Protein backbone atom coordinates (compact mmCIF):
# COMPACT_ATOMS: atom_id res chain seq x y z
CA UNK A 1 0.00 0.00 0.00
CA UNK A 2 2.72 2.43 0.95
CA UNK A 3 4.56 1.51 -2.27
CA UNK A 4 1.48 2.47 -4.30
CA UNK A 5 1.21 5.77 -2.43
CA UNK A 6 4.89 6.47 -3.01
CA UNK A 7 4.52 5.72 -6.70
CA UNK A 8 1.43 7.91 -7.08
CA UNK A 9 2.82 10.79 -5.05
CA UNK A 10 6.20 10.94 -6.75
CA UNK A 11 4.76 10.42 -10.23
CA UNK A 12 2.66 13.51 -9.56
CA UNK A 13 5.72 15.42 -8.31
CA UNK A 14 7.64 14.48 -11.46
CA UNK A 15 4.72 15.40 -13.68
CA UNK A 16 4.16 18.84 -12.22
CA UNK A 17 7.76 19.93 -11.97
CA UNK A 18 8.24 22.35 -14.82
CA UNK A 19 11.41 24.34 -15.29
CA UNK A 20 13.07 22.35 -12.52
CA UNK A 21 14.76 23.76 -9.46
CA UNK A 22 13.43 24.45 -6.04
CA UNK A 23 9.92 25.31 -7.24
CA UNK A 24 8.99 21.68 -6.69
CA UNK A 25 9.85 21.72 -2.98
CA UNK A 26 6.38 23.04 -2.11
CA UNK A 27 4.75 20.16 -3.99
CA UNK A 28 7.04 17.59 -2.37
CA UNK A 29 6.19 18.99 1.05
CA UNK A 30 2.46 18.89 0.31
CA UNK A 31 2.57 15.21 -0.72
CA UNK A 32 4.77 14.28 2.22
CA UNK A 33 2.42 15.93 4.70
CA UNK A 34 -0.61 14.27 3.12
CA UNK A 35 0.76 10.75 3.46
CA UNK A 36 2.96 11.17 6.55
CA UNK A 37 5.87 9.46 4.82
CA UNK A 38 8.43 11.31 6.92
CA UNK A 39 8.44 13.93 9.69
CA UNK A 40 8.63 17.69 8.97
CA UNK A 41 12.12 17.72 10.56
CA UNK A 42 13.24 15.01 8.12
CA UNK A 43 11.90 17.16 5.29
CA UNK A 44 14.15 20.02 6.40
CA UNK A 45 17.02 17.52 6.51
CA UNK A 46 16.31 16.43 2.92
CA UNK A 47 16.50 20.00 1.66
CA UNK A 48 19.87 20.39 3.36
CA UNK A 49 21.12 17.07 1.99
CA UNK A 50 19.89 17.80 -1.53
CA UNK A 51 21.86 21.04 -1.53
CA UNK A 52 25.18 19.34 -0.81
CA UNK A 53 24.74 16.17 -2.86
CA UNK A 54 24.94 15.93 -6.63
CA UNK A 55 21.91 15.36 -8.82
CA UNK A 56 18.37 16.74 -9.18
CA UNK A 57 16.61 17.59 -5.94
CA UNK A 58 13.53 15.62 -7.09
CA UNK A 59 15.57 12.43 -7.44
CA UNK A 60 17.39 13.01 -4.15
CA UNK A 61 14.12 13.61 -2.30
CA UNK A 62 12.40 10.59 -3.89
CA UNK A 63 15.25 8.24 -2.94
CA UNK A 64 15.46 9.62 0.61
CA UNK A 65 11.72 9.62 1.32
CA UNK A 66 11.22 6.20 -0.31
CA UNK A 67 14.05 4.68 1.72
CA UNK A 68 12.96 6.18 5.05
CA UNK A 69 9.36 5.05 4.62
CA UNK A 70 9.74 1.63 2.92
CA UNK A 71 13.40 0.62 2.66
CA UNK A 72 15.30 -0.09 -0.56
CA UNK A 73 12.09 -1.12 -2.34
CA UNK A 74 10.50 2.20 -1.42
CA UNK A 75 13.57 4.09 -2.65
CA UNK A 76 13.47 2.35 -6.03
CA UNK A 77 9.69 2.75 -6.46
CA UNK A 78 9.71 6.47 -5.54
CA UNK A 79 12.73 7.23 -7.72
CA UNK A 80 11.30 5.38 -10.74
CA UNK A 81 8.00 7.20 -10.30
CA UNK A 82 9.60 10.64 -10.19
CA UNK A 83 11.58 10.12 -13.42
CA UNK A 84 8.84 8.31 -15.38
CA UNK A 85 7.05 11.54 -16.46
CA UNK A 86 10.40 12.80 -17.81
CA UNK A 87 10.92 9.68 -19.87
CA UNK A 88 7.42 9.76 -21.35
CA UNK A 89 7.27 13.49 -22.10
CA UNK A 90 10.78 13.65 -23.54
CA UNK A 91 10.08 10.71 -25.88
CA UNK A 92 6.98 12.46 -27.19
CA UNK A 93 8.58 15.90 -27.59
CA UNK A 94 11.77 14.43 -29.04
CA UNK A 95 9.85 12.67 -31.82
CA UNK A 96 8.03 15.86 -32.77
CA UNK A 97 11.29 17.82 -32.64
CA UNK A 98 13.17 15.41 -34.92
CA UNK A 99 10.32 15.60 -37.39
CA UNK A 100 9.93 19.37 -37.59
CA UNK A 101 13.29 20.76 -36.57
CA UNK A 102 14.30 21.67 -40.11
CA UNK A 103 11.16 23.66 -40.84
CA UNK A 104 11.64 27.40 -41.12
CA UNK A 105 9.18 28.15 -38.35
CA UNK A 106 10.92 25.84 -35.85
CA UNK A 107 14.35 27.19 -36.89
CA UNK A 108 13.14 30.75 -36.28
CA UNK A 109 11.60 29.69 -32.99
CA UNK A 110 14.88 28.26 -31.71
CA UNK A 111 16.79 31.29 -32.95
CA UNK A 112 14.59 33.21 -30.48
CA UNK A 113 14.82 30.59 -27.72
CA UNK A 114 18.64 30.24 -27.68
CA UNK A 115 19.22 33.80 -26.42
CA UNK A 116 16.54 33.15 -23.78
CA UNK A 117 18.55 30.17 -22.54
CA UNK A 118 21.63 32.41 -22.36
CA UNK A 119 19.66 34.90 -20.26
CA UNK A 120 18.32 32.12 -18.03
CA UNK A 121 21.77 30.63 -17.45
CA UNK A 122 23.10 34.12 -16.70
CA UNK A 123 20.25 34.63 -14.24
CA UNK A 124 21.05 31.28 -12.60
CA UNK A 125 24.68 32.37 -12.18
CA UNK A 126 23.54 35.66 -10.65
CA UNK A 127 21.07 34.01 -8.26
CA UNK A 128 23.39 31.19 -7.19
CA UNK A 129 26.11 33.82 -6.78
CA UNK A 130 24.08 36.05 -4.48
CA UNK A 131 22.98 32.98 -2.48
CA UNK A 132 26.59 31.80 -2.11
CA UNK A 133 28.23 35.13 -1.34
CA UNK A 134 27.18 35.91 2.25
CA UNK A 135 28.14 39.37 3.57
CA UNK A 136 28.00 37.95 7.09
CA UNK A 137 30.89 35.56 6.34
CA UNK A 138 34.41 36.40 7.48
CA UNK A 139 36.60 38.48 5.17
CA UNK A 140 38.83 35.54 4.25
CA UNK A 141 35.78 33.38 3.48
CA UNK A 142 34.41 36.06 1.15
CA UNK A 143 37.82 36.53 -0.44
CA UNK A 144 38.32 32.81 -1.16
CA UNK A 145 34.76 32.45 -2.45
CA UNK A 146 35.41 35.28 -4.90
CA UNK A 147 38.80 33.86 -5.94
CA UNK A 148 37.42 30.34 -6.51
CA UNK A 149 34.42 31.61 -8.49
CA UNK A 150 36.62 33.97 -10.53
CA UNK A 151 39.33 31.42 -11.34
CA UNK A 152 36.69 28.83 -12.27
CA UNK A 153 34.96 31.32 -14.56
CA UNK A 154 38.21 32.26 -16.29
CA UNK A 155 39.44 28.69 -16.72
CA UNK A 156 36.18 27.21 -17.98
CA UNK A 157 35.11 30.17 -20.14
CA UNK A 158 38.47 30.95 -21.77
CA UNK A 159 40.85 28.03 -21.20
CA UNK A 160 38.54 25.03 -21.74
CA UNK A 161 39.35 23.58 -18.33
CA UNK A 162 37.52 20.36 -17.55
CA UNK A 163 34.62 21.33 -15.19
CA UNK A 164 34.85 18.06 -13.25
CA UNK A 165 38.52 18.62 -12.42
CA UNK A 166 37.71 22.21 -11.44
CA UNK A 167 35.03 21.00 -8.98
CA UNK A 168 37.43 18.47 -7.43
CA UNK A 169 40.13 21.15 -7.22
CA UNK A 170 37.74 23.61 -5.59
CA UNK A 171 36.73 21.00 -2.99
CA UNK A 172 40.41 20.46 -2.11
CA UNK A 173 41.12 24.21 -1.92
CA UNK A 174 37.98 24.57 0.22
CA UNK A 175 39.30 21.96 2.67
CA UNK A 176 42.49 23.98 3.10
CA UNK A 177 41.26 27.56 3.19
CA UNK A 178 37.77 27.62 4.75
CA UNK A 179 37.42 27.64 8.52
CA UNK B 1 24.97 -5.86 -31.30
CA UNK B 2 28.25 -5.51 -29.39
CA UNK B 3 28.71 -2.08 -30.93
CA UNK B 4 25.22 -1.06 -29.83
CA UNK B 5 25.82 -2.24 -26.28
CA UNK B 6 29.08 -0.34 -26.27
CA UNK B 7 27.21 2.81 -27.31
CA UNK B 8 24.71 2.43 -24.46
CA UNK B 9 27.51 1.74 -21.99
CA UNK B 10 29.43 4.87 -23.05
CA UNK B 11 26.28 6.96 -22.67
CA UNK B 12 25.72 5.48 -19.22
CA UNK B 13 29.29 6.24 -18.13
CA UNK B 14 29.33 9.79 -19.51
CA UNK B 15 26.04 10.65 -17.80
CA UNK B 16 27.13 8.90 -14.61
CA UNK B 17 30.10 11.26 -14.52
CA UNK B 18 27.88 14.27 -15.26
CA UNK B 19 25.36 13.21 -12.59
CA UNK B 20 28.11 12.73 -10.02
CA UNK B 21 29.41 16.28 -10.45
CA UNK B 22 26.20 18.26 -11.00
CA UNK B 23 25.88 20.32 -7.83
CA UNK B 24 23.52 23.26 -7.40
CA UNK B 25 20.68 22.45 -9.79
CA UNK B 26 20.18 21.64 -13.45
CA UNK B 27 21.86 24.79 -14.75
CA UNK B 28 25.22 23.75 -13.33
CA UNK B 29 24.98 20.72 -15.59
CA UNK B 30 25.30 22.69 -18.84
CA UNK B 31 29.10 23.23 -18.77
CA UNK B 32 29.66 19.55 -17.92
CA UNK B 33 27.45 18.45 -20.81
CA UNK B 34 29.16 20.85 -23.20
CA UNK B 35 32.55 19.54 -22.14
CA UNK B 36 31.68 15.83 -22.35
CA UNK B 37 29.25 15.75 -25.29
CA UNK B 38 30.64 18.53 -27.53
CA UNK B 39 34.34 18.93 -26.69
CA UNK B 40 35.44 15.45 -25.63
CA UNK B 41 33.19 13.12 -27.65
CA UNK B 42 31.94 15.36 -30.47
CA UNK B 43 28.51 13.74 -30.28
CA UNK B 44 26.58 16.98 -30.95
CA UNK B 45 26.99 20.65 -31.89
CA UNK B 46 26.98 23.35 -29.21
CA UNK B 47 23.79 24.96 -30.62
CA UNK B 48 21.99 21.62 -30.58
CA UNK B 49 22.82 21.22 -26.88
CA UNK B 50 21.27 24.64 -26.21
CA UNK B 51 18.11 23.65 -28.09
CA UNK B 52 17.89 20.43 -26.09
CA UNK B 53 18.50 22.35 -22.87
CA UNK B 54 15.61 24.70 -23.72
CA UNK B 55 13.31 21.78 -24.55
CA UNK B 56 14.33 20.02 -21.33
CA UNK B 57 13.09 23.01 -19.33
CA UNK B 58 9.80 23.09 -21.21
CA UNK B 59 8.61 19.56 -20.42
CA UNK B 60 7.73 17.99 -17.04
CA UNK B 61 10.52 16.62 -14.86
CA UNK B 62 13.93 17.59 -13.50
CA UNK B 63 16.10 19.47 -16.01
CA UNK B 64 19.08 17.16 -15.56
CA UNK B 65 16.98 14.04 -16.13
CA UNK B 66 15.20 15.50 -19.16
CA UNK B 67 18.45 16.68 -20.74
CA UNK B 68 20.02 13.24 -20.29
CA UNK B 69 17.03 11.45 -21.83
CA UNK B 70 16.92 13.90 -24.75
CA UNK B 71 20.59 13.43 -25.61
CA UNK B 72 20.41 9.64 -25.13
CA UNK B 73 17.37 9.37 -27.40
CA UNK B 74 18.95 11.60 -30.03
CA UNK B 75 22.17 9.54 -30.11
CA UNK B 76 21.02 5.94 -29.64
CA UNK B 77 17.20 5.80 -29.67
CA UNK B 78 15.00 4.52 -26.84
CA UNK B 79 17.61 2.36 -25.12
CA UNK B 80 20.09 5.21 -25.38
CA UNK B 81 17.60 7.44 -23.58
CA UNK B 82 17.21 4.83 -20.87
CA UNK B 83 20.99 4.34 -20.53
CA UNK B 84 21.53 8.11 -20.13
CA UNK B 85 18.65 8.29 -17.64
CA UNK B 86 20.11 5.52 -15.45
CA UNK B 87 23.56 7.05 -15.76
CA UNK B 88 22.51 10.48 -14.54
CA UNK B 89 20.42 9.28 -11.55
CA UNK B 90 22.59 6.39 -10.30
CA UNK B 91 25.12 8.59 -8.43
CA UNK B 92 22.28 10.46 -6.67
CA UNK B 93 20.56 7.24 -5.62
CA UNK B 94 23.77 5.65 -4.34
CA UNK B 95 24.87 8.74 -2.40
CA UNK B 96 21.43 9.38 -0.87
CA UNK B 97 21.10 5.73 0.22
CA UNK B 98 24.44 6.00 2.02
CA UNK B 99 23.55 9.34 3.62
CA UNK B 100 20.08 8.16 4.66
CA UNK B 101 21.78 5.62 6.90
CA UNK B 102 24.55 7.81 8.32
CA UNK B 103 22.84 11.17 8.37
CA UNK B 104 23.93 12.32 11.83
CA UNK B 105 27.65 11.81 11.14
CA UNK B 106 27.29 13.42 7.74
CA UNK B 107 25.56 16.53 9.05
CA UNK B 108 28.27 17.48 11.52
CA UNK B 109 31.30 16.63 9.38
CA UNK B 110 33.43 19.77 9.29
CA UNK B 111 35.70 18.56 6.47
CA UNK B 112 32.72 17.95 4.21
CA UNK B 113 31.27 21.38 4.89
CA UNK B 114 34.63 23.07 4.10
CA UNK B 115 35.05 21.13 0.87
CA UNK B 116 31.49 21.98 -0.02
CA UNK B 117 32.08 25.71 0.49
CA UNK B 118 34.77 25.40 -2.17
CA UNK B 119 32.46 23.52 -4.54
CA UNK B 120 29.69 26.11 -4.06
CA UNK B 121 32.03 28.94 -5.00
CA UNK B 122 33.26 27.07 -8.09
CA UNK B 123 29.68 26.33 -9.21
CA UNK B 124 29.00 30.09 -9.41
CA UNK B 125 31.96 30.52 -11.78
CA UNK B 126 30.95 27.41 -13.68
CA UNK B 127 27.42 28.62 -14.40
CA UNK B 128 28.68 32.10 -15.34
CA UNK B 129 31.14 30.49 -17.76
CA UNK B 130 28.31 28.42 -19.25
CA UNK B 131 26.32 31.62 -19.85
CA UNK B 132 29.25 33.28 -21.61
CA UNK B 133 30.07 30.25 -23.76
CA UNK B 134 26.43 29.75 -24.70
CA UNK B 135 26.11 33.44 -25.55
CA UNK B 136 28.97 33.32 -28.06
CA UNK B 137 27.06 30.97 -30.37
CA UNK B 138 23.47 31.79 -29.49
CA UNK B 139 23.41 35.58 -29.66
CA UNK B 140 23.84 36.39 -33.34
CA UNK B 141 22.48 39.94 -33.53
CA UNK B 142 21.07 42.87 -31.56
CA UNK B 143 17.64 41.19 -31.32
CA UNK B 144 19.24 38.19 -29.60
CA UNK B 145 21.06 40.46 -27.14
CA UNK B 146 17.80 42.20 -26.19
CA UNK B 147 16.01 38.85 -25.81
CA UNK B 148 18.80 37.52 -23.55
CA UNK B 149 18.70 40.67 -21.40
CA UNK B 150 14.90 40.52 -21.06
CA UNK B 151 15.05 36.80 -20.17
CA UNK B 152 17.71 37.58 -17.53
CA UNK B 153 15.56 40.28 -15.90
CA UNK B 154 12.34 38.22 -16.04
CA UNK B 155 14.09 35.21 -14.52
CA UNK B 156 15.87 37.09 -11.71
CA UNK B 157 12.73 39.03 -10.77
CA UNK B 158 10.68 35.83 -10.91
CA UNK B 159 7.57 37.61 -12.22
CA UNK B 160 6.60 34.79 -14.61
CA UNK B 161 7.49 31.07 -14.67
CA UNK B 162 10.58 30.09 -16.67
CA UNK B 163 8.53 28.10 -19.17
CA UNK B 164 6.71 31.25 -20.20
CA UNK B 165 9.96 33.10 -20.75
CA UNK B 166 11.00 30.31 -23.14
CA UNK B 167 7.63 30.36 -24.93
CA UNK B 168 7.84 34.15 -25.31
CA UNK B 169 11.34 33.82 -26.78
CA UNK B 170 10.09 31.23 -29.26
CA UNK B 171 7.19 33.45 -30.36
CA UNK B 172 9.56 36.42 -30.67
CA UNK B 173 11.92 34.32 -32.78
CA UNK B 174 9.14 33.26 -35.16
CA UNK B 175 7.87 36.84 -35.54
CA UNK B 176 11.32 38.38 -36.01
CA UNK B 177 13.42 35.85 -37.93
CA UNK B 178 10.75 34.27 -40.08
CA UNK B 179 9.69 37.64 -41.41
CA UNK B 180 13.29 38.57 -42.07
CA UNK B 181 13.84 35.21 -43.74
CA UNK B 182 17.41 35.11 -42.41
CA UNK B 183 17.20 31.63 -40.95
CA UNK B 184 17.24 28.86 -43.51
Amino acid sequence: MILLQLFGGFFKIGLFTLGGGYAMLALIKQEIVRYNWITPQEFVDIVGIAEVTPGPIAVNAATFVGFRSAGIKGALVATSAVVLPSLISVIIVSRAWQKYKNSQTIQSMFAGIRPVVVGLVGAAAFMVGTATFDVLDSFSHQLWTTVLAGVTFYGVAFKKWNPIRVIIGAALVGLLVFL
Amino acid sequence: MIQKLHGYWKLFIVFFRIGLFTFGGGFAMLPLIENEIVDVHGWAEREEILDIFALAQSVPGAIAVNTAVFIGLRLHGFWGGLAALFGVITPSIAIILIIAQLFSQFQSNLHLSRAFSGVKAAVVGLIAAAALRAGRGAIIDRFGLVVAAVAFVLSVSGVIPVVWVIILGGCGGILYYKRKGEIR
Side-chain angles (χ1 to χ4, degrees), chain A residues 44-104:
Chain A
V44 175
D45 292 346
I46 295 178
V47 179
I49 292 173
E51 274 181 342
V52 296
T53 49
I57 187 166
V59 175
N60 293 339
T63 309
F64 191 90
V65 173
F67 182 77
R68 276 291 162 92
S69 54
I72 291 280
K73 255 191 225 165
L76 293 180
V77 166
T79 310
S80 311
V82 88
V83 298
L84 198 57
S86 291
L87 190 63
I88 297 168
S89 57
V90 170
I91 287 174
I92 294 169
V93 172
S94 184
R95 288 230 170 110
W97 181 51
Q98 292 297 335
K99 200 167 163 190
Y100 298 111
K101 72 174 176 184
N102 291 323
S103 84
Q104 211 194 16

Side-chain angles (χ1 to χ4, degrees), chain A residues 23-144:
Chain A
M24 72 180 316
L25 276 177
L27 185 59
I28 296 179
K29 196 172 181 186
Q30 176 198 312
E31 292 299 300
I32 284 171
V33 169
R34 178 190 334 208
Y35 293 115
N36 272 322
W37 288 324
I38 55 169
T39 64
Q41 178 53 44
E42 280 181 314
F43 178 76
V44 175
D45 292 346
I46 295 178
V47 179
I49 292 173
E51 274 181 342
V52 296
T53 49
I57 187 166
V59 175
N60 293 339
T63 309
F64 191 90
V65 173
F67 182 77
R68 276 291 162 92
S69 54
I72 291 280
K73 255 191 225 165
L76 293 180
V77 166
T79 310
S80 311
V82 88
V83 298
L84 198 57
S86 291
L87 190 63
I88 297 168
S89 57
V90 170
I91 287 174
I92 294 169
V93 172
S94 184
R95 288 230 170 110
W97 181 51
Q98 292 297 335
K99 200 167 163 190
Y100 298 111
K101 72 174 176 184
N102 291 323
S103 84
Q104 211 194 16
T105 307
I106 300 296
Q107 291 274 340
S108 305
M109 187 180 94
F110 276 106
I113 287 179
R114 279 176 212 144
V116 170
V117 176
V118 176
L120 293 180
V121 179
F126 177 79
M127 291 187 284
V128 175
T130 49
T132 302
F133 195 88
D134 190 342
V135 287
L136 298 175
D137 282 335
S138 67
F139 175 72
S140 88
H141 196 288
Q142 291 180 21
L143 182 71
W144 279 108

Side-chain angles (χ1 to χ4, degrees), chain B residues 109-170:
Chain B
N109 189 315
L110 198 62
H111 294 300
L112 268 181
S113 97
R114 282 177 186 163
F116 187 67
S117 294
V119 172
K120 263 179 16 187
V123 164
V124 177
L126 212 57
I127 302 177
L132 185 89
R133 287 176 63 168
R136 281 184 201 144
I139 298 176
I140 49 176
D141 53 20
R142 205 171 293 169
F143 175 77
L145 198 63
V146 172
V147 170
V150 171
F152 178 91
V153 172
L154 286 177
S155 178
V156 168
S157 62
V159 284
I160 55 174
V162 169
V163 188
W164 283 102
V165 185
I166 294 175
I167 292 173
L168 280 177

Side-chain angles (χ1 to χ4, degrees), chain A residues 56 59 82-83 86-87 90, chain B residues 29 61-70 84-85 88-89:
Chain A
V59 175
V82 88
V83 298
S86 291
L87 190 63
V90 170
Chain B
M29 185 195 200
I63 298 175
V65 175
N66 293 347
T67 308
V69 176
F70 256 116
L85 169 67
V88 84
I89 64 173

Side-chain angles (χ1 to χ4, degrees), chain B residues 1-160:
Chain B
M1 185 64 193
I2 296 289
Q3 221 168 6
K4 263 191 172 172
L5 285 179
H6 185 69
Y8 303 148
W9 175 247
K10 281 208 91 166
L11 262 176
F12 177 85
I13 291 297
V14 163
F15 276 98
F16 186 94
R17 222 168 15 227
I18 293 171
L20 187 58
F21 289 97
T22 297
F23 290 92
F27 281 96
M29 185 195 200
L30 188 57
L32 279 81
I33 289 196
E34 278 197 325
N35 183 266
E36 292 279 342
I37 306 290
V38 181
D39 297 338
V40 176
H41 291 97
W43 285 341
E45 300 291 324
R46 207 171 295 280
E47 273 64 52
E48 199 174 4
I49 297 292
L50 280 189
D51 295 352
I52 287 175
F53 202 63
L55 286 170
Q57 289 169 65
S58 316
V59 298
I63 298 175
V65 175
N66 293 347
T67 308
V69 176
F70 256 116
I71 294 177
L73 279 176
R74 147 86 174 65
L75 293 174
H76 291 288
F78 176 76
W79 297 105
L82 222 51
L85 169 67
F86 280 118
V88 84
I89 64 173
T90 301
S92 304
I93 297 174
I95 290 170
I96 292 294
L97 285 181
I98 295 168
I99 289 175
Q101 305 184 52
L102 335 153
F103 183 59
S104 44
Q105 286 117 296
F106 170 81
Q107 202 178 23
S108 54
N109 189 315
L110 198 62
H111 294 300
L112 268 181
S113 97
R114 282 177 186 163
F116 187 67
S117 294
V119 172
K120 263 179 16 187
V123 164
V124 177
L126 212 57
I127 302 177
L132 185 89
R133 287 176 63 168
R136 281 184 201 144
I139 298 176
I140 49 176
D141 53 20
R142 205 171 293 169
F143 175 77
L145 198 63
V146 172
V147 170
V150 171
F152 178 91
V153 172
L154 286 177
S155 178
V156 168
S157 62
V159 284
I160 55 174

